[in-house]
Amino acid sequence: MFPLAKNALSRLPVGSIQQMVARQSHQKRTPDFHDKYGNAVLVGGATFCIAIWTYTATQIGIEWNLSPVGRVTPKEWKDQ
């Protein structure tokens, strides 16, 4: 089985594929959508996300169960 697989793999044009990839990586290409607008879309999405979470955290009345220190006073002891 091993010689059969080795023979099949040796017939694949791996060298020509590597040469083609190397040639393509050195070519100048025109900027696509991500090159032109990628950073703007990323910043816009992050800003939108932060704005929505800020609104959610501050405006819709969620009780966050924060620490009661300073708001709760101890009761007096009842001696019996």
Side-chain angles (χ1 to χ4, degrees):
M1 184 69 179
F2 180 74
L4 180 64
K6 185 177 178 183
N7 188 19
L9 289 175
S10 68
R11 293 179 187 254
L12 289 175
V14 175
S16 64
I17 293 173
Q18 290 174 345
Q19 289 173 354
M20 183 175 61
V21 169
R23 274 190 233 118
Q24 288 177 351
S25 67
H26 293 296
Q27 290 178 351
K28 288 284 187 181
R29 58 183 178 89
T30 59
D32 61 356
F33 176 83
H34 300 286
D35 293 331
K36 287 183 179 181
Y37 306 111
N39 290 336
V41 170
L42 181 65
V43 169
T47 303
F48 178 78
C49 183
I50 290 169
I52 294 302
W53 277 108
T54 302
Y55 173 79
T56 302
T58 60
Q59 299 297 317
I60 65 171
I62 295 176
E63 178 62 42
W64 294 100
N65 293 328
L66 300 175
S67 174
V69 173
R71 292 185 288 161
V72 177
T73 56
K75 295 181 180 179
E76 295 292 328
W77 283 99
K78 295 183 180 178
D79 291 329
Q80 294 179 355

